[in-house]
Amino acid sequence: MTDLGFLEEVDANIARGEALWRETGDGHGTTLIATEAGLAAIGLSPAEIRTRLDRRNPEPATSTPSTPRTGTKQARLIEMLSAPGGATIAEISDETGWQAHTVRGAISGTLRKKLGLEVITEREAGRGRIYRLPLT
């Protein structure tokens, strides 16, 4: 299969648990991985192929915050917090179906730490504690 271009022989990473295809004689070994053509041959879509290849060769870690996907509960959370009046934990829970502790965790862990967003919290008469993103 390597001569057809469906598989590629690469150095094995035994520490990661990769199986050996063959030993090279110098204390190292190789393993086989499916190439882009090989993944296409087994019927994977171009998006699935790209995902698998990206997982195999991840980009080096950067300190830039990641970007949220559209159409997700996380994106809806950001929309709610971006509104001029912000949102309360109860309002976010009603909208997303998340429990209150999940909402607080998403704000603290995902928005603040992972995405690097500044989340402002303040008490508002008649509404209680609200969370919002600064208006830009």
Side-chain angles (χ1 to χ4, degrees), residues 48-66:
E48 291 170 315
I49 292 170
R50 189 79 263 141
T51 299
R52 289 173 187 259
L53 294 176
D54 288 346
R55 280 189 196 142
R56 184 182 303 152
N57 304 309
E59 294 291 323
T62 63
S63 60
T64 7
S66 59

PDB file of all heavy atoms in Angstrom, residues 48-66:
ATOM      1  N   GLU A  48     -13.271  15.615   7.070  1.00  0.00           N
ATOM      2  CA  GLU A  48     -12.791  14.586   7.997  1.00  0.00           C
ATOM      3  C   GLU A  48     -11.306  14.317   7.786  1.00  0.00           C
ATOM      4  O   GLU A  48     -10.564  14.134   8.747  1.00  0.00           O
ATOM      5  CB  GLU A  48     -13.584  13.294   7.812  1.00  0.00           C
ATOM      6  CG  GLU A  48     -15.017  13.378   8.255  1.00  0.00           C
ATOM      7  CD  GLU A  48     -15.826  12.161   7.839  1.00  0.00           C
ATOM      8  OE1 GLU A  48     -15.706  11.721   6.681  1.00  0.00           O
ATOM      9  OE2 GLU A  48     -16.576  11.649   8.684  1.00  0.00           O
ATOM     10  N   ILE A  49     -10.886  14.313   6.543  1.00  0.00           N
ATOM     11  CA  ILE A  49      -9.466  14.095   6.236  1.00  0.00           C
ATOM     12  C   ILE A  49      -8.637  15.213   6.844  1.00  0.00           C
ATOM     13  O   ILE A  49      -7.634  14.971   7.511  1.00  0.00           O
ATOM     14  CB  ILE A  49      -9.246  14.023   4.711  1.00  0.00           C
ATOM     15  CG1 ILE A  49      -9.903  12.754   4.149  1.00  0.00           C
ATOM     16  CG2 ILE A  49      -7.765  14.082   4.364  1.00  0.00           C
ATOM     17  CD1 ILE A  49      -9.956  12.705   2.638  1.00  0.00           C
ATOM     18  N   ARG A  50      -9.061  16.469   6.644  1.00  0.00           N
ATOM     19  CA  ARG A  50      -8.319  17.610   7.187  1.00  0.00           C
ATOM     20  C   ARG A  50      -8.234  17.525   8.703  1.00  0.00           C
ATOM     21  O   ARG A  50      -7.195  17.769   9.296  1.00  0.00           O
ATOM     22  CB  ARG A  50      -9.020  18.914   6.751  1.00  0.00           C
ATOM     23  CG  ARG A  50      -8.258  20.154   7.059  1.00  0.00           C
ATOM     24  CD  ARG A  50      -7.126  20.423   6.068  1.00  0.00           C
ATOM     25  NE  ARG A  50      -5.852  19.959   6.573  1.00  0.00           N
ATOM     26  CZ  ARG A  50      -4.915  19.388   5.854  1.00  0.00           C
ATOM     27  NH1 ARG A  50      -5.068  19.189   4.578  1.00  0.00           N
ATOM     28  NH2 ARG A  50      -3.783  18.995   6.375  1.00  0.00           N
ATOM     29  N   THR A  51      -9.346  17.145   9.350  1.00  0.00           N
ATOM     30  CA  THR A  51      -9.368  17.019  10.804  1.00  0.00           C
ATOM     31  C   THR A  51      -8.371  15.978  11.269  1.00  0.00           C
ATOM     32  O   THR A  51      -7.612  16.200  12.206  1.00  0.00           O
ATOM     33  CB  THR A  51     -10.790  16.644  11.290  1.00  0.00           C
ATOM     34  OG1 THR A  51     -11.676  17.686  10.902  1.00  0.00           O
ATOM     35  CG2 THR A  51     -10.830  16.466  12.792  1.00  0.00           C
ATOM     36  N   ARG A  52      -8.358  14.827  10.619  1.00  0.00           N
ATOM     37  CA  ARG A  52      -7.427  13.763  11.015  1.00  0.00           C
ATOM     38  C   ARG A  52      -5.977  14.170  10.789  1.00  0.00           C
ATOM     39  O   ARG A  52      -5.120  13.904  11.609  1.00  0.00           O
ATOM     40  CB  ARG A  52      -7.749  12.467  10.275  1.00  0.00           C
ATOM     41  CG  ARG A  52      -9.036  11.840  10.763  1.00  0.00           C
ATOM     42  CD  ARG A  52      -9.432  10.652   9.925  1.00  0.00           C
ATOM     43  NE  ARG A  52     -10.736  10.183  10.315  1.00  0.00           N
ATOM     44  CZ  ARG A  52     -10.945   9.139  11.097  1.00  0.00           C
ATOM     45  NH1 ARG A  52      -9.924   8.450  11.569  1.00  0.00           N
ATOM     46  NH2 ARG A  52     -12.165   8.766  11.405  1.00  0.00           N
ATOM     47  N   LEU A  53      -5.699  14.823   9.676  1.00  0.00           N
ATOM     48  CA  LEU A  53      -4.335  15.260   9.412  1.00  0.00           C
ATOM     49  C   LEU A  53      -3.916  16.352  10.384  1.00  0.00           C
ATOM     50  O   LEU A  53      -2.773  16.394  10.831  1.00  0.00           O
ATOM     51  CB  LEU A  53      -4.202  15.744   7.963  1.00  0.00           C
ATOM     52  CG  LEU A  53      -4.377  14.665   6.889  1.00  0.00           C
ATOM     53  CD1 LEU A  53      -4.319  15.289   5.501  1.00  0.00           C
ATOM     54  CD2 LEU A  53      -3.356  13.553   7.023  1.00  0.00           C
ATOM     55  N   ASP A  54      -4.839  17.257  10.736  1.00  0.00           N
ATOM     56  CA  ASP A  54      -4.525  18.309  11.699  1.00  0.00           C
ATOM     57  C   ASP A  54      -4.239  17.725  13.077  1.00  0.00           C
ATOM     58  O   ASP A  54      -3.373  18.202  13.792  1.00  0.00           O
ATOM     59  CB  ASP A  54      -5.665  19.325  11.795  1.00  0.00           C
ATOM     60  CG  ASP A  54      -5.754  20.207  10.563  1.00  0.00           C
ATOM     61  OD1 ASP A  54      -4.794  20.213   9.765  1.00  0.00           O
ATOM     62  OD2 ASP A  54      -6.794  20.879  10.395  1.00  0.00           O
ATOM     63  N   ARG A  55      -4.986  16.695  13.474  1.00  0.00           N
ATOM     64  CA  ARG A  55      -4.738  16.054  14.775  1.00  0.00           C
ATOM     65  C   ARG A  55      -3.382  15.375  14.786  1.00  0.00           C
ATOM     66  O   ARG A  55      -2.699  15.341  15.790  1.00  0.00           O
ATOM     67  CB  ARG A  55      -5.812  15.005  15.068  1.00  0.00           C
ATOM     68  CG  ARG A  55      -7.082  15.591  15.570  1.00  0.00           C
ATOM     69  CD  ARG A  55      -8.015  14.490  16.041  1.00  0.00           C
ATOM     70  NE  ARG A  55      -9.349  15.007  16.175  1.00  0.00           N
ATOM     71  CZ  ARG A  55     -10.433  14.348  15.868  1.00  0.00           C
ATOM     72  NH1 ARG A  55     -10.354  13.111  15.423  1.00  0.00           N
ATOM     73  NH2 ARG A  55     -11.614  14.889  16.017  1.00  0.00           N
ATOM     74  N   ARG A  56      -3.004  14.819  13.646  1.00  0.00           N
ATOM     75  CA  ARG A  56      -1.730  14.117  13.555  1.00  0.00           C
ATOM     76  C   ARG A  56      -0.566  15.095  13.623  1.00  0.00           C
ATOM     77  O   ARG A  56       0.479  14.804  14.183  1.00  0.00           O
ATOM     78  CB  ARG A  56      -1.685  13.342  12.239  1.00  0.00           C
ATOM     79  CG  ARG A  56      -0.455  12.497  12.088  1.00  0.00           C
ATOM     80  CD  ARG A  56      -0.411  11.773  10.769  1.00  0.00           C
ATOM     81  NE  ARG A  56      -1.573  10.942  10.548  1.00  0.00           N
ATOM     82  CZ  ARG A  56      -2.055  10.642   9.334  1.00  0.00           C
ATOM     83  NH1 ARG A  56      -1.480  11.106   8.266  1.00  0.00           N
ATOM     84  NH2 ARG A  56      -3.112   9.882   9.219  1.00  0.00           N
ATOM     85  N   ASN A  57      -0.719  16.265  13.046  1.00  0.00           N
ATOM     86  CA  ASN A  57       0.334  17.274  12.997  1.00  0.00           C
ATOM     87  C   ASN A  57      -0.189  18.578  13.584  1.00  0.00           C
ATOM     88  O   ASN A  57      -0.408  19.547  12.858  1.00  0.00           O
ATOM     89  CB  ASN A  57       0.777  17.519  11.542  1.00  0.00           C
ATOM     90  CG  ASN A  57       1.223  16.247  10.878  1.00  0.00           C
ATOM     91  OD1 ASN A  57       2.038  15.528  11.428  1.00  0.00           O
ATOM     92  ND2 ASN A  57       0.682  15.967   9.707  1.00  0.00           N
ATOM     93  N   PRO A  58      -0.387  18.626  14.906  1.00  0.00           N
ATOM     94  CA  PRO A  58      -0.958  19.838  15.499  1.00  0.00           C
ATOM     95  C   PRO A  58      -0.019  21.024  15.368  1.00  0.00           C
ATOM     96  O   PRO A  58       1.195  20.879  15.325  1.00  0.00           O
ATOM     97  CB  PRO A  58      -1.163  19.455  16.962  1.00  0.00           C
ATOM     98  CG  PRO A  58      -0.204  18.341  17.206  1.00  0.00           C
ATOM     99  CD  PRO A  58      -0.043  17.626  15.892  1.00  0.00           C
ATOM    100  N   GLU A  59      -0.644  22.198  15.286  1.00  0.00           N
ATOM    101  CA  GLU A  59       0.121  23.437  15.258  1.00  0.00           C
ATOM    102  C   GLU A  59       0.769  23.628  16.625  1.00  0.00           C
ATOM    103  O   GLU A  59       0.207  23.226  17.637  1.00  0.00           O
ATOM    104  CB  GLU A  59      -0.806  24.619  14.974  1.00  0.00           C
ATOM    105  CG  GLU A  59      -1.425  24.594  13.588  1.00  0.00           C
ATOM    106  CD  GLU A  59      -0.396  24.838  12.495  1.00  0.00           C
ATOM    107  OE1 GLU A  59       0.513  25.652  12.712  1.00  0.00           O
ATOM    108  OE2 GLU A  59      -0.508  24.187  11.439  1.00  0.00           O
ATOM    109  N   PRO A  60       1.919  24.248  16.675  1.00  0.00           N
ATOM    110  CA  PRO A  60       2.523  24.524  17.978  1.00  0.00           C
ATOM    111  C   PRO A  60       1.593  25.412  18.803  1.00  0.00           C
ATOM    112  O   PRO A  60       0.892  26.255  18.248  1.00  0.00           O
ATOM    113  CB  PRO A  60       3.821  25.241  17.643  1.00  0.00           C
ATOM    114  CG  PRO A  60       3.895  25.349  16.171  1.00  0.00           C
ATOM    115  CD  PRO A  60       2.696  24.708  15.571  1.00  0.00           C
ATOM    116  N   ALA A  61       1.620  25.215  20.098  1.00  0.00           N
ATOM    117  CA  ALA A  61       0.755  25.987  20.987  1.00  0.00           C
ATOM    118  C   ALA A  61       1.117  27.463  20.916  1.00  0.00           C
ATOM    119  O   ALA A  61       2.278  27.837  20.877  1.00  0.00           O
ATOM    120  CB  ALA A  61       0.901  25.485  22.418  1.00  0.00           C
ATOM    121  N   THR A  62       0.099  28.282  20.865  1.00  0.00           N
ATOM    122  CA  THR A  62       0.315  29.721  20.848  1.00  0.00           C
ATOM    123  C   THR A  62      -0.426  30.325  22.027  1.00  0.00           C
ATOM    124  O   THR A  62      -1.288  29.705  22.626  1.00  0.00           O
ATOM    125  CB  THR A  62      -0.217  30.355  19.551  1.00  0.00           C
ATOM    126  OG1 THR A  62      -1.629  30.147  19.506  1.00  0.00           O
ATOM    127  CG2 THR A  62       0.428  29.764  18.324  1.00  0.00           C
ATOM    128  N   SER A  63      -0.117  31.543  22.329  1.00  0.00           N
ATOM    129  CA  SER A  63      -0.783  32.195  23.445  1.00  0.00           C
ATOM    130  C   SER A  63      -1.989  32.999  22.982  1.00  0.00           C
ATOM    131  O   SER A  63      -2.617  33.676  23.764  1.00  0.00           O
ATOM    132  CB  SER A  63       0.202  33.110  24.173  1.00  0.00           C
ATOM    133  OG  SER A  63       0.679  34.086  23.286  1.00  0.00           O
ATOM    134  N   THR A  64      -2.308  32.920  21.685  1.00  0.00           N
ATOM    135  CA  THR A  64      -3.469  33.646  21.199  1.00  0.00           C
ATOM    136  C   THR A  64      -4.742  32.915  21.590  1.00  0.00           C
ATOM    137  O   THR A  64      -4.834  31.711  21.450  1.00  0.00           O
ATOM    138  CB  THR A  64      -3.447  33.755  19.662  1.00  0.00           C
ATOM    139  OG1 THR A  64      -2.400  33.004  19.128  1.00  0.00           O
ATOM    140  CG2 THR A  64      -3.424  35.137  19.187  1.00  0.00           C
ATOM    141  N   PRO A  65      -5.727  33.660  22.088  1.00  0.00           N
ATOM    142  CA  PRO A  65      -6.982  33.026  22.460  1.00  0.00           C
ATOM    143  C   PRO A  65      -7.662  32.410  21.242  1.00  0.00           C
ATOM    144  O   PRO A  65      -7.535  32.910  20.135  1.00  0.00           O
ATOM    145  CB  PRO A  65      -7.820  34.170  23.023  1.00  0.00           C
ATOM    146  CG  PRO A  65      -6.872  35.285  23.287  1.00  0.00           C
ATOM    147  CD  PRO A  65      -5.705  35.071  22.375  1.00  0.00           C
ATOM    148  N   SER A  66      -8.390  31.310  21.453  1.00  0.00           N
ATOM    149  CA  SER A  66      -9.095  30.674  20.358  1.00  0.00           C
ATOM    150  C   SER A  66     -10.356  31.456  20.028  1.00  0.00           C
ATOM    151  O   SER A  66     -10.790  32.314  20.771  1.00  0.00           O
ATOM    152  CB  SER A  66      -9.427  29.230  20.728  1.00  0.00           C
ATOM    153  OG  SER A  66     -10.216  29.199  21.892  1.00  0.00           O
TER     154      SER A  66
END
